[in-house]
Amino acid sequence: MENNKYIVRQAIKDVDSHVLGYEIMYSDGNEAYSGDGGNEVTAAEAIYDFLMQNSEKALKDSCTFMTFTSSLLARRTPHLFKSKNLVIQIDDSVIIHPFAMHLVRQYAQEGYQIAVNDFQFMPRYLALMEYLSYIKINMKSMTASAADNIMRVAQSMNKRVIATGISDKETFDWASSMGVYGMQGSFVADKLANKVHQSGYLRSNFFRLVVAVTKEEPDLQEIEQIVSTDVTLTYSLLKIANSAYFARRTKTTSIQQAIMTMGLNQLKRWVYLLSAGDQGGNDLENSEEFIRISFMRASFASALQGYLKEPVLTRSEAYLLGMFSTLGYLIDAPLEDILSDIPMVDEMRSALLEHTGVGGKLLDLIIDYERADWKRITEEAEELGIPSNQLTTIYFNCMEEVNTIWKQMVNPEALKNMEKSAAEASLAEEISVSAAEAAETQKQ
């Protein structure tokens, strides 16, 4: 399923070419966007896909600059990152928003560094100086006198100035002579693009998830059940729970562990990023059948696990084995790359990649059962210690359960109701944010 979406990193360097940090941008394959201009979808997708990339390189010994809109700030999206790893980048759409600026002050007090794009020598920008760590000035649109004024104020207040738009040696020399802290642009460093590998999740199931996480008292078991029916949501959750931002000493290897690792607040932020971005729209018509197959395989593998004479996989591992067996069809990337950041026991990894070991035989049995290859089914069941005379009963029990849940998920009326409930839940969240905004404005 071909897509042309990329996460773009551009280095910020000092005069001696030492890397000081990276700005994270988003690209449709033709042009890179920093998320500025208040584009909610672009900013949300850049943040979500950066988390999914699990790119620790951009976090080591340097700062990661990301642009946040007013809404993303209000949804506490920066809290997905540790304060030491992130520079919250804002632009004029945030600066003119009183409540957003209240949030910026809060983030600064929490230890996050704040950078402002395209700083201008204007009162509303100067009023921010107390909370800023970095000032970015665009050398393409900057006059010499304006640049000198900004540098003088910045140096008097001990702020770091980053010159952007450095596209040639002349501009580089000008910025160097001004004594800027860092520089960014095509002359300083090329943009490095990493292709984004994603697959569309099931809309109706995602609406259920939105409703579940926004309840006054969310039920973690309900959230686990919803995620576990959709391989793309499961994959996304495990990737993010094991990313550089949540990783614990013990790796997260199950949906339940991932939910506990992240906690409800971070789960809400993850769901919001999914809803604000465009991850649900990728070839969904083709994805739906594979999502259903993965759900059935997961259920069947989990049920068969209890019959194995060599139970080298736990029940939850067997479930994920069946579920992840379709990822190679859902995501446009080699399966080895897809699974590289998902921790799992060697037995499970070798089963998925090479179809070896007990796990590989179990997966072969499940696939051969789908193909009705009875000769191989009998041989494989006997080798695994599974009574072949019970296979049909086990399979149909799983199929009945899966079909019952699936019909509820894809039923047009149920989809309509879920979409309405999700919209109401999102509206309630918006009202909550608006109430906080109104209260803050009243104070001022």
Side-chain angles (χ1 to χ4, degrees):
M1 297 180 185
E2 194 69 27
N3 71 73
N4 294 309
K5 295 183 177 180
Y6 298 84
I7 283 295
V8 178
R9 290 193 303 146
Q10 187 170 42
I12 299 166
K13 297 183 177 180
D14 65 15
V15 192
D16 299 317
S17 291
H18 297 129
V19 174
L20 304 171
Y22 290 91
E23 180 175 357
I24 304 303
M25 293 170 274
Y26 190 73
S27 170
D28 63 1
N30 299 310
E31 183 180 354
Y33 308 98
S34 64
D36 47 13
N39 189 325
E40 189 74 9
V41 172
T42 300
E45 288 199 357
I47 296 164
Y48 173 81
D49 290 320
F50 180 71
L51 282 164
M52 287 294 286
Q53 288 280 334
N54 198 17
S55 176
E56 295 185 45
K57 290 180 183 177
L59 296 172
K60 288 181 179 176
D61 303 320
S62 64
C63 296
T64 299
F65 290 71
M66 280 191 190
T67 298
F68 289 82
T69 62
S70 297
S71 184
L72 288 169
L73 292 172
R75 300 286 184 141
R76 309 294 174 179
T77 310
H79 286 158
L80 284 165
F81 302 87
K82 296 172 184 173
S83 59
K84 67 178 181 179
N85 296 140
L86 176 70
V87 177
I88 297 173
Q89 195 162 270
I90 59 173
D91 58 29
D92 203 57
S93 68
V94 172
I95 295 167
I96 62 175
H97 197 302
F99 181 60
M101 287 313 304
H102 164 69
L103 293 170
V104 167
R105 290 192 290 270
Q106 283 188 345
Y107 287 119
Q109 288 162 4
E110 290 171 8
Y112 288 92
Q113 296 185 87
I114 311 296
V116 63
N117 267 328
D118 295 339
F119 187 90
Q120 300 171 43
F121 204 70
M122 298 171 65
R124 67 176 180 272
Y125 283 84
L126 295 171
L128 282 175
M129 294 295 283
E130 179 184 351
Y131 306 100
L132 297 178
S133 298
Y134 298 92
I135 292 169
K136 298 182 92 174
I137 57 174
N138 189 341
M139 302 302 285
K140 288 181 179 178
S141 59
M142 188 69 53
T143 64
S145 60
D148 287 341
N149 286 335
I150 292 171
M151 283 299 301
R152 189 174 63 255
V153 172
Q155 288 171 346
S156 70
M157 300 185 72
N158 200 28
K159 306 300 177 183
R160 294 171 170 176
V161 176
I162 296 172
T164 67
I166 309 296
S167 55
D168 53 49
K169 189 175 187 306
E170 183 182 356
T171 314
F172 178 90
D173 291 340
W174 176 27
S176 299
S177 67
M178 287 168 50
V180 297
Y181 169 74
M183 289 181 274
Q184 181 181 357
S186 57
F187 186 79
V188 177
D190 290 330
K191 291 173 180 174
L192 303 174
N194 291 320
K195 191 169 184 180
V196 172
H197 302 300
Q198 5 169 281
S199 177
Y201 47 75
L202 199 64
R203 284 179 62 219
S204 55
N205 201 42
F206 181 71
F207 293 147
R208 291 172 65 213
L209 183 61
V210 171
V211 173
V213 299
T214 51
K215 283 181 179 177
E216 192 171 332
E217 293 185 12
D219 183 337
L220 294 181
Q221 286 187 333
E222 180 189 11
I223 293 170
E224 181 183 353
Q225 188 273 327
I226 292 169
V227 173
S228 67
T229 58
D230 187 331
V231 59
T232 57
L233 288 177
T234 299
Y235 175 70
S236 171
L237 179 64
L238 285 174
K239 277 272 286 187
I240 288 179
N242 284 287
S243 72
Y245 322 103
F246 300 106
R248 307 291 191 263
R249 285 183 186 175
T250 306
K251 290 292 185 180
T252 301
T253 58
S254 71
I255 298 168
Q256 184 183 55
Q257 283 180 346
I259 290 170
M260 298 305 293
T261 294
M262 290 181 67
L264 278 170
N265 286 334
Q266 300 292 52
L267 277 171
K268 285 182 180 180
R269 288 162 197 142
W270 168 62
V271 170
Y272 177 68
L273 280 179
L274 283 171
S275 64
D278 190 31
Q279 285 80 13
N282 300 317
D283 294 324
L284 190 56
E285 198 174 303
N286 296 321
S287 301
E288 187 172 311
E289 181 60 19
F290 285 115
I291 293 172
R292 189 192 66 79
I293 290 170
S294 70
F295 184 21
M296 181 61 209
R297 286 184 182 179
S299 180
F300 196 25
S302 176
L304 293 176
Q305 184 270 345
Y307 293 89
L308 297 176
K309 63 182 177 184
E310 294 179 53
V312 293
L313 298 173
T314 65
R315 193 177 179 87
S316 65
E317 287 168 347
Y319 188 92
L320 288 179
L321 172 67
M323 177 156 275
F324 284 169
S325 64
T326 63
L327 279 176
Y329 301 97
L330 282 160
I331 299 175
D332 179 30
L335 187 57
E336 189 170 2
D337 293 347
I338 296 169
L339 299 175
S340 61
D341 295 317
I342 302 290
M344 59 183 68
V345 294
D346 291 341
E347 181 72 29
M348 183 174 160
R349 191 175 298 278
S350 61
L352 286 165
L353 295 177
E354 302 158 13
H355 284 241
T356 57
V358 173
K361 291 172 187 172
L362 176 62
L363 189 54
D364 286 340
L365 171 61
I366 292 167
I367 293 170
D368 286 332
Y369 201 94
E370 291 172 354
R371 295 169 177 165
D373 190 336
W374 303 114
K375 183 176 182 298
R376 285 179 58 83
I377 288 168
T378 304
E379 293 172 356
E380 288 159 350
E382 185 178 330
E383 198 171 350
L384 290 166
I386 299 171
S388 56
N389 61 341
Q390 292 189 42
L391 270 176
T392 301
T393 301
I394 297 167
Y395 182 83
F396 277 98
N397 285 342
C398 291
M399 187 172 69
E400 186 177 356
E401 182 182 0
V402 166
N403 285 345
T404 300
I405 296 171
W406 192 260
K407 282 177 184 176
Q408 293 171 351
M409 287 163 54
V410 299
N411 178 279
E413 190 60 36
L415 173 60
K416 186 178 178 181
N417 291 336
M418 274 295 151
E419 188 167 8
K420 181 182 176 183
S421 297
E424 288 172 351
S426 294
L427 178 60
E429 286 279 297
E430 292 291 346
I431 289 171
S432 175
V433 169
S434 297
E437 179 178 347
E440 181 57 30
T441 304
Q442 210 168 29
K443 283 182 190 176
Q444 296 172 351

